[in-house]
Amino acid sequence: MDETERLKSLIISAAQALWEDKEALTRFLDVVRRSEAFTKLADTLAESEVRPAKATFYGVQSRKFQV
């Protein structure tokens, strides 16, 4: 598993955990957007009206950080 997959899984898992605290979620996703590699993922999570699905829903292979 490469580092990118692990980071995607971590980002999605953190978004799930922060979902109820919209201010914290917004700040977290703003930090994620600083990396060009994850801007689209952050935008997708920010636009979602429902809590993110497990990382595998987004095509992430790593399960390291999944709850």
Side-chain angles (χ1 to χ4, degrees), residues 15 19 22 25-26 29-30 33 38-52 58:
W19 191 256
K22 295 300 184 186
L25 178 62
T26 298
L29 293 176
D30 286 345
R33 282 187 187 97
F38 300 111
T39 301
K40 184 176 179 180
L41 177 60
D43 290 344
T44 299
L45 292 170
E47 293 171 4
S48 178
E49 294 184 15
V50 295
R51 185 183 300 267
Y58 297 94

Side-chain angles (χ1 to χ4, degrees), residues 4-23:
T4 301
E5 290 295 301
R6 287 187 189 103
L7 287 172
K8 284 181 186 177
S9 182
L10 178 60
I11 291 166
I12 293 167
S13 295
Q16 288 173 330
L18 293 171
W19 191 256
E20 298 301 321
D21 185 347
K22 295 300 184 186
E23 183 177 338

